[in-house]
Amino acid sequence: MSPKKRPTIADIAEAAGVSKGAVSYALNGKAGVSEVTRARILEIAARMGWHPSSAARALSDGRSGAIGLVVDRPAWVLGIEPFFMQLISGVEAGLAPTGTALLLQVTDDTRAEEVAYRRWWGERRVDGVLIVDLREQDHRLGLVAELGLPAVVIGHAAVTSGVPSVWINDAAAVRETLAYLAAMGHRRIARVAGPAHFVHTRERGEAFDAATAELGLDGVPCVYTDYSGEDGARATRRLLSGSLRPTAIVYDNDVMAVAALSVTQEMGVSVPGELSLVAWDDSELCRLVHPALTAVSRRVMEYGERAATALLSLIDGTPVPDILLPPPALVPRGSTAPCGSWPQS
């Protein structure tokens, strides 16, 4: 079966018995037709399933009716990470009231991401972009300024002028997490982090260092990963195979913490008796495993929604300041317990 032909202005004009100019006036809300004729044309257009061409609209008012998001991570990593699924859901919730679409692209190198921004803006495919995973000396910020492409950073763009950010300060949650573990007698605490070149990885590390010093802990050794379960599992094996095994490990995402549970079973390490586990970014994964994972909740959907609405305001010409969201909260569950609480045989 051949696809059904999309209705055109000419089709509507023929059905209504008027000129194409009259249809154009009616559909665009312009003077030139009576209200009775306008109503009849709009009714016929709706019945025929007519919608304005986004390409034509972009030429007439400069708007594409879409925003862009490039995620520079392997697609297979993105597909299993709840953070991005929740973030995208929040973005869609922020866009829905305006009918704005989200154009998503996954790349595996920074050059491809730059090409995407240039092509989208040059082809009028997006009105603005959301930037995630801010990096040290991030060239994307200079690129969007050069292009005149409206952009909002999801994360802390502390040293950037002209590109607003929607961000969460992790420092309070880091201190709360370490204080919680220290109060249960944990002194040997390790961290399994994401990529070292991400700004949020560094800032969270600085918060770990500050809280460690304040609480008088021995220091928090850190292993950097790519956020995948496989890398998280390898990091866990390395930490548990050392001469001085940690009694608690904090993971920078939920996927790695879930993978760590499998490693502890493989190595015969009891959770939470011999080892306590904490995941960053609470998700359904944290609640479904056994024991359920203690996690830090950042209300990721709200994060995405606020970023989307901020970008829409920026596109409309409204100045947008940096937006600091409420701090994350620790949610204790079964994967944490006092140090040495497991009965010894």
Side-chain angles (χ1 to χ4, degrees):
M1 179 184 296
S2 60
K4 183 179 178 181
K5 179 178 176 291
R6 293 176 182 148
T8 65
I9 285 180
D11 296 328
I12 298 169
E14 182 180 352
V18 297
S19 68
K20 289 191 291 183
V23 173
S24 179
Y25 290 145
L27 296 177
N28 289 290
K30 295 180 179 179
V33 293
S34 70
E35 290 307 313
V36 172
T37 301
R38 186 190 309 278
R40 183 161 58 90
I41 290 172
L42 292 176
E43 188 276 327
I44 291 171
R47 180 158 36 88
M48 295 177 71
W50 181 86
H51 295 281
S53 164
S54 59
R57 185 172 62 244
L59 289 173
S60 64
D61 66 8
R63 296 290 182 88
S64 68
I67 67 165
L69 171 63
V70 179
V71 180
D72 185 21
R73 296 194 193 182
W76 63 270
V77 173
L78 181 64
I80 62 172
E81 191 167 353
F83 171 84
F84 273 107
M85 299 303 101
Q86 293 179 55
L87 184 72
I88 291 169
S89 295
V91 170
E92 291 284 10
L95 298 178
T98 67
T100 304
L102 173 65
L103 184 57
L104 173 67
Q105 182 168 326
V106 178
T107 66
D108 56 5
D109 66 80
T110 55
R111 173 60 183 163
E113 185 173 1
E114 178 181 333
V115 169
Y117 290 140
R118 291 187 182 277
R119 186 181 70 252
W120 284 352
W121 190 236
E123 296 176 356
R124 301 187 184 186
R125 298 183 66 185
V126 300
D127 299 319
V129 294
L130 296 172
I131 296 176
V132 295
D133 290 337
L134 197 66
R135 310 174 189 111
E136 303 290 351
Q137 306 298 318
D138 201 312
H139 72 281
R140 294 174 296 176
L141 303 179
L143 175 61
V144 296
E146 170 198 328
L147 295 174
L149 173 59
V152 168
V153 173
I154 299 179
H156 189 202
V159 296
T160 307
S161 59
V163 182
S165 61
V166 177
W167 65 291
I168 297 173
N169 189 345
D170 286 337
V174 168
R175 192 198 180 285
E176 181 184 9
T177 299
L178 291 183
Y180 171 69
L181 293 171
M184 293 192 293
H186 293 280
R187 307 296 300 177
R188 298 194 304 274
I189 303 169
R191 176 188 174 211
V192 176
H197 61 273
F198 287 163
V199 169
H200 64 258
T201 301
R202 173 183 55 77
E203 290 185 338
R204 200 174 295 170
E206 291 171 352
F208 267 91
D209 291 343
T212 296
E214 180 185 344
L215 296 168
L217 299 175
D218 302 329
V220 178
C222 181
V223 181
Y224 295 101
T225 70
D226 63 5
Y227 279 130
S228 69
E230 291 79 0
D231 230 16
R234 280 191 290 270
T236 303
R237 289 190 191 95
R238 192 184 319 165
L239 289 168
L240 296 183
S241 299
S243 57
L244 200 60
R245 176 185 289 181
T247 62
I249 305 177
V250 181
Y251 294 83
D252 267 19
N253 76 356
D254 47 358
V255 173
M256 294 194 295
V258 170
L261 274 176
S262 296
V263 172
T264 61
Q265 294 169 10
E266 162 195 317
M267 297 183 69
V269 176
S270 167
V271 176
E274 297 173 278
L275 178 69
S276 288
L277 303 179
V278 179
W280 214 267
D281 288 332
D282 194 13
S283 72
E284 197 65 26
L285 280 180
C286 297
R287 297 183 284 274
L288 290 176
V289 294
H290 181 76
L293 287 165
T294 293
V296 174
S297 174
R298 293 197 294 171
R299 298 191 293 188
V300 177
M301 283 190 63
E302 180 185 351
Y303 205 179
E305 185 172 0
R306 293 291 298 276
T309 55
L311 180 56
L312 292 176
S313 294
L314 192 65
I315 291 167
D316 284 337
T318 304
V320 175
D322 289 344
I323 300 171
L324 177 61
L325 299 181
L330 182 68
V331 183
R333 296 195 183 98
S335 68
T336 49
C339 184
S341 63
W342 190 254
Q344 303 295 314
S345 57

